[in-house]
Amino acid sequence: MTDGKRTPWVVGVSGASGTPYAAAVVRGLLAAGESVDLVVSRASRLTLLDETGIAFRDAHWRADLEEWLGRGADGKPGTFAGFDLDGVRYWGAGDLAAGPSSGSYAVKGMLIVPASTACVAGVALGLSKDLLQRVASVTLKERRRLVVAVRETPLNGQTLKHLVALDEAGAVVLPASPAFYAGATHIQDLVDFVAGRVLDAAGVPHGLYRRWEGELGSARPRE
């Protein structure tokens, strides 16, 4: 919030594998007291259904989002609770007249997590074929923070060129690459590391992972 006015982060979810990353980022934003404008692409609904069994529906987005955010990275329901969805606004992927499609709509920036190679290409080329790509283009033209958490491996030359183009346009290219120095003991720890790095890039405080403090072995359990 800024001076009592709602100024959200836009979270765009593309069709790449990695819907637990998106859930962790949204939970982190809400925990930090941030507002969220959510855009879920059509392709990402298929991924979400495959990875979690949740059918994300426009007419029931609030209940579906609550179920999604409540799941752990291992798919277990009810792992997380207590998040307030009053700060979340949902926009359909086909709604090109949505608020965030205009530069005059005040937002802090946009986090695309996960970002598929198709999404990366669309944003890099300025295609704006759906609301997610349109908001990303607006974010760049307005010189706002854009974090692109690309989730694909291996990467071909064309995608690498698109990622370089995004970097040159001012975006933060953040591969969804978990690290192990933070003492991960569960799949959720690896997901939270990536989500935490996304929030770091956005300048949003969080406690999702243990930071490096310059001491070798500090993350290992004490015997």
Side-chain angles (χ1 to χ4, degrees):
M1 299 289 184
T2 303
D3 298 330
K5 181 180 179 181
R6 184 179 185 276
T7 309
W9 285 97
V10 179
V11 176
V13 187
S14 80
S17 177
T19 54
Y21 292 131
V25 166
V26 173
R27 286 194 299 265
L29 289 170
L30 296 179
E34 299 285 348
S35 297
V36 174
D37 274 23
L38 182 66
V39 181
V40 179
S41 77
R42 289 187 174 92
S44 69
R45 296 177 190 227
L46 297 177
T47 308
L48 181 63
L49 181 63
D50 185 52
E51 293 183 344
T52 70
I54 298 171
F56 197 88
R57 303 158 293 175
D58 285 347
H60 304 281
W61 71 266
R62 191 179 183 94
D64 295 338
L65 178 60
E66 185 171 14
E67 182 180 359
W68 181 11
L69 297 184
R71 287 181 182 261
D74 58 1
K76 183 179 179 181
T79 301
F80 300 98
F83 30 79
D84 185 0
L85 298 185
D86 288 344
V88 179
R89 187 170 185 180
Y90 170 74
W91 302 96
D95 185 4
L96 293 179
S101 68
S102 171
S104 65
Y105 184 87
V107 302
K108 292 182 177 179
M110 183 181 192
L111 315 175
I112 305 178
V113 53
S116 66
T117 55
C119 173
V120 166
V123 175
L125 297 173
L127 298 183
S128 296
K129 72 170 187 175
D130 61 8
L131 182 60
L132 194 158
Q133 292 184 13
R134 170 60 185 168
V135 177
S137 294
V138 168
T139 302
L140 289 175
K141 81 179 183 69
E142 296 293 329
R143 303 294 191 267
R144 295 167 180 159
R145 180 60 57 92
L146 174 64
V147 181
V148 180
V150 60
R151 215 307 308 163
E152 185 60 271
T153 190
L155 297 171
N156 63 29
Q158 199 61 49
T159 298
L160 291 171
K161 291 176 183 178
H162 291 150
L163 292 173
V164 170
L166 289 178
D167 176 78
E168 291 175 344
V172 176
V173 175
L174 195 152
S177 301
F180 296 85
Y181 63 78
T185 59
H186 189 275
I187 186 175
Q188 188 66 53
D189 298 325
L190 299 176
V191 167
D192 284 347
F193 179 87
V194 172
R197 295 298 287 150
V198 171
L199 296 178
D200 286 344
V204 175
H206 66 86
L208 288 176
Y209 68 88
R210 185 184 306 186
R211 297 184 182 277
W212 175 251
E213 296 182 349
E215 182 182 349
L216 293 176
S218 61
R220 289 198 297 268
R222 304 294 183 183
E223 295 183 359

